[in-house]
Amino acid sequence: MGRDFHFSIDRGGTFTDVFAQVPDGRGGSTYRVLKLLSEDPSNYPDAPREGIRRVLEEVTGVPHPRDVPLDTSRIGSIRMGTTVATNALLERAGERVALLVSAGLPDLLHIGNQSRPDIFDLKIQTPENLYETVVEVDESVMLPLGTEPSPRNGPHPESNANIACPGARVVGTTGEEVCVRRTPDLDKLRRDLQAVLDNGISSIAVVLKHAAIYPEHEKMVGQLAQEMGFKQVSLSHAVMPMVKMVPRGFTAAADAYLTPHILRYVAAFQSGFDEGLSNVQLLFMQSDGGLAPVNAFSGHKAILSGPAGGYVGYALTTAWNDGQGLAAAAAAADGD
């Protein structure tokens, strides 16, 4: 007997579906399918784990009591898609978050990109902010003007090029020159962050201008926050390394809002297994349809975890005759 049980699970808001590949007793494999209520605390603490327990007990004939850590010696893999993050976002049940943003841009994410689904609507309803409070970080980074004419450089680039950078010139991650006008005032920031902690907020999203090509300031802020005891620190350059600050900021805010919620769920799921779980391939479906190891699964990657799993499953079961659809879906499932 080896690790001959493999589980694929969809943990939805109402129901949890378990598909298990199990040994057939003749050297091959067969399947078990199970549906449970996702929330049924009077009968079990966690639906996916309960589904695994029931299948193991049924197929092996060996009792697996609910109050004993689940034996993982025969489990080869667990793959799970979940709407835990989706529902937390829709129900606004995530973590309390503080947004740290470059000084002068406190309303950046509230304003957003001003897109309007109905441009002539006289009563514009904007989405709620995921963050509760804003801390402005006294820092400044700019991209120096070059010598080539451009909309940004104006019609007289020669004279603009002579304007000295009022700070240190460094090279960013893309090879472009960056002008550091002011490094973060960490003493002031420490006082501001202490007030945030005192208010009971332990999750922050850090969104600084040009952090995608010069992340050093975000790293400084993140290190300070971790030293002070913040439990979740989402740095925008690490969460979504893209140039545009608004979508980068939205993603970092979502990560700070949802990651603690996801980590609590994952920890609760894992707590019911024995120590052998570390030898099991435990993967979670991401919003992009790929699978991530449990230690790489975070809030912003989980928002469409459940729907993405359904999409990949639909693609696999409706493959075109030439097999190309199947191959494309398989590549997506493997994260290619």
Side-chain angles (χ1 to χ4, degrees):
M1 292 186 299
R3 296 186 176 275
D4 45 5
F5 284 76
H6 301 274
F7 296 91
S8 298
I9 303 172
D10 176 21
R11 199 280 190 190
T14 304
F15 294 107
T16 291
D17 297 289
V18 179
F19 177 88
Q21 181 181 350
V22 303
D24 62 5
R26 300 185 300 274
S29 63
T30 186
Y31 304 97
R32 293 286 190 279
V33 177
L34 191 65
K35 181 182 285 286
L36 306 91
L37 287 172
S38 293
E39 299 287 345
D40 192 1
S42 62
N43 289 307
Y44 45 81
D46 182 81
R49 191 170 67 240
E50 173 66 13
I52 294 172
R53 186 195 70 81
R54 291 185 186 182
V55 170
L56 287 172
E57 193 169 78
E58 176 188 342
V59 175
T60 64
V62 177
H64 288 70
R66 288 193 182 96
D67 57 352
V68 175
L70 197 57
D71 178 17
T72 59
S73 61
R74 296 191 62 180
I75 301 176
S77 65
I78 302 172
R79 299 184 173 195
M80 191 186 310
T82 175
T83 59
V84 168
T86 314
N87 293 336
L89 183 62
L90 293 174
E91 298 166 6
R92 290 299 190 261
E95 200 78 357
R96 296 177 66 195
V97 174
L99 172 68
L100 276 62
V101 67
S102 299
L105 302 172
D107 298 318
L108 178 73
L109 298 190
H110 179 68
I111 295 171
N113 58 17
Q114 300 190 62
S115 62
R116 301 179 185 179
D118 186 348
I119 195 171
F120 297 111
D121 191 349
L122 298 180
K123 186 179 180 181
I124 304 298
Q125 294 183 335
T126 57
E128 282 183 44
N129 294 324
L130 296 181
Y131 52 89
E132 185 174 319
T133 187
V134 179
V135 174
E136 296 186 57
V137 181
D138 187 13
E139 63 87 43
S140 181
V141 172
M142 62 174 285
L143 301 181
L145 296 173
T147 58
E148 297 295 326
S150 69
R152 179 170 174 264
N153 208 3
H156 305 293
E158 305 84 8
S159 59
N160 289 336
N162 294 327
I163 301 175
C165 167
R169 289 179 180 265
V170 297
V171 177
T173 57
T174 60
E176 296 174 85
E177 190 175 65
V178 177
C179 177
V180 180
R181 301 180 69 184
R182 291 193 310 279
T183 56
D185 184 343
L186 297 182
D187 291 334
K188 179 180 182 301
L189 183 59
R190 182 182 293 274
R191 294 192 296 271
D192 293 340
L193 288 179
Q194 188 59 54
V196 172
L197 277 175
D198 293 343
N199 192 31
I201 298 175
S202 60
S203 183
I204 62 172
V206 184
V207 187
L208 302 183
K209 193 175 181 183
H210 299 310
I213 62 174
Y214 186 72
E216 302 309 315
H217 287 184
E218 283 196 352
K219 291 178 180 178
M220 293 169 64
V221 172
Q223 181 177 351
L224 173 62
Q226 289 174 336
E227 291 172 355
M228 293 182 66
F230 282 90
K231 297 178 181 178
Q232 175 63 36
V233 179
S234 297
L235 306 179
S236 71
H237 78 272
V239 172
M240 180 61 69
M242 67 181 300
V243 172
K244 293 187 177 182
M245 190 175 180
V246 171
R248 174 162 50 89
F250 282 145
T251 307
D255 191 72
Y257 186 74
L258 295 173
T259 294
H261 190 75
I262 283 291
L263 293 182
R264 284 193 293 270
Y265 172 74
V266 170
F269 171 72
Q270 291 178 301
S271 66
F273 294 89
D274 65 18
E275 295 179 355
L277 184 64
S278 60
N279 298 317
V280 176
Q281 185 188 56
L282 179 55
L283 303 173
F284 280 84
M285 179 67 71
Q286 302 180 112
S287 298
D288 61 4
L291 290 164
V294 62
N295 58 1
F297 193 54
S298 61
H300 77 286
K301 297 178 181 179
I303 294 176
L304 296 178
S305 170
Y311 176 83
V312 172
Y314 177 80
L316 284 167
T317 55
T318 58
W320 301 308
N321 292 333
D322 59 7
Q324 291 182 2
L326 182 63
D334 289 335
D336 292 341

